[in-house]
């Protein structure tokens, strides 16, 4: 089922998400719905708070980038109760980011290129790995959602000021996008 994506200004996007128990009801269906929602919105990552659920679940699909990044061919994974344990700040990189919850807003964000992450996969198997490159960026972006943060929190105060009218428009429901959304209700 395609779910609406919550737009900037929705309180759930600023809430710290909670861990889910391994017997979380209908977890496989939730993950399937998140993938379907992600596919329909043409995104590469989706965190549960973006569909109104303050729980620690993320889906990432980098297969759509495999023509340009062949190392991600077939990469489609769910991350349950993920945490970034450590950032390797020895190398950072700036890159433009966008977000399904912030339609039409793109800003350059500087992030470490390597992170130490722990999570459970869809089969509830535990992982503890160092992740590098583009996947590390996407994980940081999506896992930020689980901590009530968004990529716009990582831009300079000047850039934030320059996009403030766009952010205000989002909270007022003035935006267009090609996927199902849940704007802020006034």
């Amino acid at each position: 089922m395609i779910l609406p994506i919550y737009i900037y200004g929705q309180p759930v996007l600023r809430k710290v998400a909670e861990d889910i128990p391994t017997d979380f009801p209908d977890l496989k269906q939730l993950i399937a719905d998140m993938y379907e929602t992600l596919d329909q919105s043409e995104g590469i990552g989706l965190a549960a708070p973006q569909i109104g659920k303050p729980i620690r679940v993320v889906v990432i699909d980098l297969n759509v980038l495999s023509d340009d990044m062949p190392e991600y061919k077939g990469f489609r994974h769910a991350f349950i109760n993920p945490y970034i344990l450590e950032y390797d700040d020895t190398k950072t990189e700036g890159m433009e980011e966008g977000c399904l919850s912030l339609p039409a807003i793109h800003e350059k964000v500087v992030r470490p290129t390597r992170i130490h992450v722990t999570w459970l996969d869809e089969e509830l198997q535990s992982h503890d790995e160092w992740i590098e490159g583009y996947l590390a960026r996407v994980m940081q972006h999506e896992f930020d959602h689980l901590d009530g943060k968004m990529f716009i929190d990582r831009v300079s105060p000047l850039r934030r000021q320059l996009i403030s009218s766009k952010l205000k428009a989002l909270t007022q429901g003035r935006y267009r996008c090609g996927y199902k959304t849940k704007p802020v209700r006034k």
Side-chain angles (χ1 to χ4, degrees):
M1 174 176 34
I2 295 171
L3 305 166
I5 294 176
Y6 283 52
I7 298 299
Y8 176 80
Q10 286 280 5
V12 70
L13 295 173
R14 293 305 193 170
K15 193 172 183 183
V16 175
E18 296 181 11
D19 281 349
I20 63 167
T22 53
D23 62 348
F24 187 84
D26 300 320
L27 178 60
K28 289 205 182 285
Q29 185 60 53
L30 172 66
I31 290 170
D33 291 347
M34 289 177 71
Y35 278 131
E36 190 175 352
T37 301
L38 184 63
D39 292 344
Q40 191 272 336
S41 62
E42 298 181 355
I44 59 171
L46 184 66
Q50 292 180 275
I51 56 164
K53 301 193 178 306
I55 56 175
R56 296 190 76 85
V57 178
V58 165
V59 295
I60 296 175
D61 182 351
L62 296 183
N63 187 55
V64 296
L65 306 174
S66 64
D67 286 347
D68 296 325
M69 299 176 177
E71 66 270 29
Y72 295 123
K73 182 149 184 69
F75 188 97
R76 186 172 167 99
H77 295 286
F79 300 86
I80 300 161
N81 296 337
Y83 286 92
I84 297 174
L85 303 176
E86 190 177 350
Y87 296 87
D88 179 353
D89 291 325
T90 55
K91 185 177 177 199
T92 60
E93 182 176 66
M95 187 179 284
E96 191 171 277
E97 293 186 18
C99 180
L100 296 172
S101 293
L102 294 154
I105 296 179
H106 297 86
E107 291 292 327
K108 185 176 180 180
V109 179
V110 176
R111 295 188 187 270
T113 59
R114 187 170 178 261
I115 55 174
H116 182 195
V117 185
T118 183
W119 76 92
L120 300 175
D121 63 24
E122 290 180 67
E123 304 307 317
L124 303 177
Q125 298 300 306
S126 181
H127 297 263
D128 184 328
E129 298 176 28
W130 280 94
I131 305 293
E132 297 183 37
Y134 191 70
L135 177 58
R137 172 172 295 278
V138 175
M139 285 178 149
Q140 288 172 78
H141 177 108
E142 297 306 330
F143 297 177
D144 272 355
H145 282 296
L146 304 178
D147 294 325
K149 296 185 176 104
M150 301 179 88
F151 82 88
I152 55 169
D153 300 331
R154 300 196 179 276
V155 301
S156 72
L158 175 61
R159 288 301 312 160
R160 182 77 184 249
Q161 183 61 38
L162 291 171
I163 62 170
S164 63
S165 62
K166 291 180 182 179
L167 295 174
K168 184 176 181 182
L170 290 177
T171 65
Q172 296 172 342
R174 294 185 289 120
Y175 61 89
R176 286 188 195 168
C177 58
Y179 45 88
K180 189 174 173 182
T181 63
K182 184 164 179 74
V184 177
R185 297 274 185 247
K186 297 264 174 191

